[in-house]
Amino acid sequence: MIAEAERAGRLELSELESKQILQSIGVAVAMPQSASTPEQAATVATQIGFPVAMKVLSPDITHKSDVGGVALNLKSQAEVAQAFADIRSNLAKNRSDARFEGVTVQPMAPPGVEMLAGIIRDQRFGALIVAGMGGTLVEILNDTAMRLAPFDAADARAMIAELKGVSILHGARGAPPADIDSLASLLVKLSQMAERYPEIREMDLNPVVVYREGLMVLDARVALKAQSECAGDEAAGARRQPRLENLKRGFDPQAVAVIGDKRVGGYLWLRAQAHLARKLYSVQIDPNEIPGIEAMGIANRKSLAEIPEAIDYAVVAVPRPIAPRILKDCIAKGVRCVSFFTSGFAETGEELGVTLQTELKSMAETSDIALVGPNCMGLYNPAIGLCSFPDQNVGEGGDVCFISQSGTHAINFTMQAAARGIKINKAASIGNAIILEAADFIDVMADDLSTRAIGMYVEGVREGRRFFESLKRAAKRVPVVIWKGGATDAGARATFSHTGALATPSSVWRTVVRQSGAVEVENLDAMLDAIELFARGRKVQGKRVGLVAMTGGQSVGITDAFAGGGLEVPALSTSSYEKLKKFFNIVGGSYRNPLDAGGTIALDSEQGNLGRILDILDRDPVIDAIVLEIATGLRGARWASHEDELITLLDKLQEFDRSAHKPFVVILHPAHIEIIVARAKELARARKL
């Protein structure tokens, strides 16, 4: 059917063809019969049995109701004949250019829960399956969920569970529950069809009526790709694996060259490599710059070719017109990885910038060189002193990796990480990402067994499906946290001017993140918080948390925060309440979850009650993780002069954390005493709390 439509130059299948395709994959449909005259329509309706529905039959009409081409609940031959005339008249009035080939007649379906389902294709991420509440609820609620195809029944059910109207499917107000299994099966079949038939650009099933048992597709429409759209399928790229190997060497080079550094910039890049534990060369032809470079004790050469040994990583900071020539020299020298700090390319929107970036890209594509950027700060590996900015921490490797299309965010993350006890393994500022995309860096970082968590700031991707697959693979091994720049329309415009990124619709982006298993955050502080938790915390086996706070107001605020994040704050087990009521001070407090425990713990004269509370929560079968909030306002002033008391408390918490069976998190609230909180956090992090 698809091939015949293509030969005929049609980009739409008829309703009959669309439903025949669905029938062929085992989907129940209300199959119509065609009629070209009122008499034929009446005869067909009589054979089918009243009541019936009629729709206009025209190869030029996609949305039949928009042209008055639908008539429902027709109960007699006379009503059918009148509806035929009305439909033909409406078409002539609303679309005089459309061909009228008659009508289709089908039985009216029994009432059920009206849903919609279908296939759409995103320019970067490919085929997605959409499900939502059908009928008038579509416009009222805008209630849809999406998944990238293909997927399994578990994904389909999770997709359905995201709908705001899912309670209707479960049977609201005494109505019988709908057959969610049949709906999930339909979505899986659509996902398989979308993968198998890339010629299908769009499929729209609306309504799909779901019954207590089974479902029925009442209307279906299939749109096909034009031949020009089918020609741009992505190829895996034979050079990808060699480039990844070269990128790995770029993170761990034996020799580094800095090309084009100047005094006017304070020799930024040479100073950044001040603690590099490998060979370092400068390449600078300007005789006015060379004395300053040599005064730093760095060997300078006037060209890459003059360097006697192989260069694994080069940092380029030259004016943009020279960039292609420098890349040519790097390829000729056999440089394995190169980053271009140089900017002013496609992100400017200028013809010259676009032309120069195209030249760089074309040149790099013919080699195995790992090109980072342009318009970036490059690579960071503190273990060997390879830095992308002066004053970054060096000398000790870590377990956290970070990828950023923004140089500023990359520097801020790496500089602020140390204060939070986050130790960096690798970081990369990737800028315009014209050759190596975020997916490549994800693959390299996730394959490193010392990596425990990956953070990422990304503004856009070109090869969306490859990004999704890399993200999904990485998230199975380590937590991945994503901060998406350009989430709003205004932000999307800013990302284009920043890195030349192409915007992705926010709904598609959220689907990609959710389905991959990654976590999304909205700013740098949230990124640092999440990475700190993932890098040091134990894996949580469930969503149920036991919350302990020092005051009533804080217990409510923390509960709202955790519940709003999708976690549960359940009532404790009966045995836990029996133990708590024996010692808990309920005057100004409460031992319902959350526990308002300030009066019981009494941090200045604790008699072991904090340990007893934590042990009870650790043993409670309905709790999966424990959170303790310490309001420093209660003791902060005293801790300022009696730090030993703070240390004693933290030592006890460390002892509990080491013996606990469940993940344990401590929250230190400022309570107007920031300096004490900073010191308390420093001491807590030293104890891995």
Side-chain angles (χ1 to χ4, degrees), residues 139-316:
E139 290 79 16
I140 296 172
L141 297 178
N142 190 24
D143 191 9
T144 58
M146 289 189 291
R147 288 291 185 279
L148 273 70
F151 52 76
D152 58 19
D155 276 318
R157 293 185 70 90
M159 185 176 168
I160 295 166
E162 290 172 14
L163 297 173
K164 301 171 189 173
V166 69
S167 59
I168 298 173
L169 288 166
H170 290 301
R173 295 194 173 185
D179 190 345
I180 291 178
D181 288 339
S182 289
L183 181 57
S185 176
L186 169 65
L187 298 177
V188 171
K189 289 174 180 176
L190 291 180
S191 82
Q192 294 167 344
M193 172 172 279
E195 181 186 37
R196 185 174 179 184
Y197 296 102
E199 305 95 328
I200 296 176
R201 177 172 57 83
E202 185 177 336
M203 177 179 282
D204 182 16
L205 312 183
N206 186 20
V208 177
V209 183
V210 187
Y211 301 110
R212 188 163 192 163
E213 293 185 8
L215 55 75
M216 181 76 68
V217 176
L218 302 189
D219 201 358
R221 181 181 69 89
V222 172
L224 305 177
K225 288 183 180 179
Q227 288 299 315
S228 59
E229 295 179 272
C230 298
D233 293 336
E234 297 174 358
R239 297 187 183 275
R240 182 166 298 134
Q241 193 55 43
R243 284 200 187 107
L244 293 185
E245 293 302 319
N246 286 337
L247 177 59
K248 291 177 184 177
R249 179 57 67 91
F251 274 114
D252 190 20
Q254 296 304 307
V256 175
V258 174
I259 304 171
D261 211 1
K262 292 186 175 184
R263 181 184 291 106
V264 69
Y267 296 119
L268 172 71
W269 297 104
L270 292 170
R271 286 193 299 110
Q273 311 310 328
H275 302 287
L276 181 67
R278 306 290 166 83
K279 292 293 290 288
L280 175 64
Y281 293 92
S282 166
V283 176
Q284 176 57 263
I285 197 171
D286 187 342
N288 297 317
E289 300 289 352
I290 295 173
I293 293 170
E294 292 179 339
M296 298 169 68
I298 299 169
N300 185 76
R301 300 291 186 271
K302 293 186 177 181
S303 72
L304 276 169
E306 293 181 13
I307 297 177
E309 60 188 292
I311 297 296
D312 294 320
Y313 179 51
V315 179
V316 180

